[in-house]
Amino acid sequence: MYGKLIVGYDGTAQADDALALGRLIAGATGASLIAATVFQFDAMWARYDVPFQELDAQLKEKLERAAIAAGAEAQTVTASSPARGLHDLAEQLDADLVVLGSAQHGKVGRILAGSVAMSLLHGSPCSVAVAPHGYASNPPHGIAEVAVGYDGSEEARLALTEAIDLGRATGAPVKVVAAAEPAPIVYGKGGGAGQGRSELDKAIHEMMRQRLDEALRSAPEDVRLEGTLVDGPPAESLAQIAREDGGMLVIGSRAYGPLRRVLLGSVSTELVRAAPCPVIVHPRPA
């Protein structure tokens, strides 16, 4: 399970959302919590009389106050960009999870990953969590349910392992969601509707049911797993099933790209823009 959590903090309300989520996960798992602020620096700025030192001092003071209130360690980093600073810090500390807030213009109660989150979600060395907009204003008392998207891939298996570990640490049930997405409509000779398409959809449904059953059979006895098979697009199905109050959604990275890096695929990209609860994206397996 998580040993070290890094929360990206920039003094905004969205950073407070991330800190609230980080505090919840750290409290449930016993992980150490680090609130980190990245001071962006460009050598060209040294040529100009730009009052960044005063602004940085104010932000550092705010970071220290927020960290004390959350029971976290305050840490500052200097880098060319916030995403680069958090990425390097995660590697330096061998962190297990980086927690970020949603974009400022996001809908209250929904995920909307901003530029820093999206950058980290395309190369982070550890799992990345995104808190919904407004999460700090009404944080849950605990983690009530962990949902995980499952399609039988190696990436999904690792996401399931992370979800099980989180369920074990919190005592929350783990809901394993498999989505049987209908076959795409193909136009042309013999394509599209009819008996052939119906049979193909049935085959897809049965395949996903078998994969879900395999996942449930492999469940450890000390964690309660619940299986749910739905027909429809995976991202839409997961967003509808995920619990808003106290829910947590865990998904894997796409199935290609650098190892041990978070890499968004089509499903994870949609979910970090519309999920009703915090989303954790697990990196690719080694």
Side-chain angles (χ1 to χ4, degrees):
M1 199 61 253
Y2 307 126
K4 292 181 182 177
L5 272 65
I6 296 175
V7 175
Y9 187 84
D10 62 0
T12 63
Q14 292 70 45
D16 291 336
D17 294 336
L19 198 54
L21 176 58
R23 185 178 185 180
L24 174 68
I25 297 175
T29 62
S32 60
L33 185 61
I34 300 163
T37 292
V38 179
F39 293 129
Q40 193 169 346
F41 177 78
D42 191 312
M44 291 188 299
W45 295 349
R47 302 178 184 179
Y48 306 96
D49 185 20
V50 182
F52 283 109
Q53 291 184 345
E54 181 180 346
L55 295 175
D56 288 352
Q58 293 174 2
L59 180 54
K60 184 177 180 180
E61 183 180 350
K62 192 170 185 178
L63 165 68
E64 291 172 349
R65 289 199 304 267
I68 291 173
E73 173 191 344
Q75 189 154 345
T76 59
V77 182
T78 300
S80 57
S81 71
R84 177 62 182 269
L86 292 172
H87 178 283
D88 291 348
L89 183 62
E91 287 195 327
Q92 175 188 337
L93 300 180
D94 194 22
D96 301 292
L97 182 69
V98 176
V99 186
L100 300 166
S102 291
Q104 183 176 359
H105 56 281
K107 183 179 179 181
V108 174
R110 289 293 184 271
I111 290 284
L112 180 60
S115 58
V116 177
M118 291 304 291
S119 295
L120 272 175
L121 284 164
H122 283 288
S124 172
C126 63
S127 296
V128 177
V130 184
H133 185 60
Y135 193 76
S137 62
N138 187 27
H141 297 295
I143 297 175
E145 179 184 88
V146 182
V148 55
Y150 190 80
D151 61 5
S153 66
E154 185 63 24
E155 291 73 22
R157 291 191 186 100
L158 280 182
L160 176 59
T161 298
E162 185 163 353
I164 288 174
D165 288 343
L166 189 55
R168 179 182 291 114
T170 61
V174 177
K175 180 177 290 186
V176 187
V177 183
E181 186 172 15
I185 296 176
V186 179
Y187 296 96
K189 184 178 180 180
Q195 183 68 22
R197 177 177 171 79
S198 175
E199 291 300 320
L200 181 57
D201 286 344
K202 289 180 181 178
I204 293 172
H205 182 96
E206 178 60 21
M207 177 184 67
M208 296 308 298
R209 185 190 65 77
Q210 292 177 4
R211 292 180 179 181
L212 179 60
D213 288 345
E214 290 172 0
L216 296 177
R217 283 197 298 268
S218 65
E221 295 182 356
D222 59 338
V223 178
R224 179 158 56 97
L225 260 65
E226 303 171 358
T228 300
L229 176 61
V230 295
D231 293 300
E236 181 181 328
S237 301
L238 283 166
Q240 290 177 350
I241 288 175
R243 177 170 173 169
E244 294 187 30
D245 182 19
M248 199 77 62
L249 178 57
V250 182
I251 51 177
S253 294
R254 70 178 186 227
Y256 60 92
L259 301 179
R260 294 187 179 179
R261 289 292 184 271
V262 169
L263 295 160
L264 290 187
S266 58
V267 174
S268 50
T269 297
E270 288 186 51
L271 286 171
V272 298
R273 290 174 174 166
C277 66
V279 173
I280 300 174
V281 186
H282 191 284
R284 280 204 67 208

